[in-house]
Amino acid sequence: MANPRQFDLEDIVNRPGTYFNPQTEVLVVIDDSPDVDTEVFNLEDFEGADWVLISDESPIDETVRDELMQAFQVRHGAGAGALDAGDDLVDDDENEPPEADELDDE
């Protein structure tokens, strides 16, 4: 059974969400809500696979992005709960608060 949280690049471009590639450390946000008037483009110059850079700036709130990444790390942190390429992911309760870290007395 395929992991419900792992996608190919070809699949994510059609599914809004926030995706992270652990090998390349690239975060991709897919948002299908913008509406750009196609009249600003000469469509004859663009092929189906071409992308147009709208801005060098990211429209994402960095604080919210960091909170999303931290929440994911808490749910799937290293150790027994870490994600492996072939593992299926099941969240018991996403609303449950994270457990406190235990400190070793040495």
Side-chain angles (χ1 to χ4, degrees):
M1 182 168 152
N3 188 328
R5 291 217 178 248
Q6 293 179 359
F7 297 90
D8 292 328
L9 182 60
E10 295 82 23
D11 295 333
I12 70 172
V13 297
N14 295 319
R15 185 177 185 273
T18 303
Y19 303 89
F20 181 75
N21 184 316
Q23 290 182 340
T24 62
E25 295 184 357
V26 172
L27 181 75
V28 176
V29 177
I30 306 297
D31 182 2
D32 67 352
S33 62
D35 184 22
V36 178
D37 187 3
T38 57
E39 291 180 11
V40 300
F41 301 108
N42 180 3
L43 295 179
E44 293 174 1
D45 293 340
F46 296 97
E47 295 180 22
D50 290 338
W51 287 83
V52 177
L53 178 65
I54 301 295
S55 172
D56 286 327
E57 297 188 21
S58 174
I60 299 171
D61 183 345
E62 291 181 14
T63 305
V64 173
R65 179 205 61 206
D66 293 344
E67 289 173 0
L68 288 172
M69 295 297 289
Q70 289 174 355
F72 180 83
Q73 291 177 42
V74 167
R75 286 193 311 265
H76 312 290
L83 291 175
D84 289 330
D87 288 347
D88 289 335
L89 178 65
V90 178
D91 288 331
D92 292 332
D93 187 0
E94 291 186 11
N95 296 325
E96 193 172 295
E99 296 178 9
D101 292 336
E102 295 181 23
L103 298 176
D104 293 330
D105 294 327
E106 292 183 30

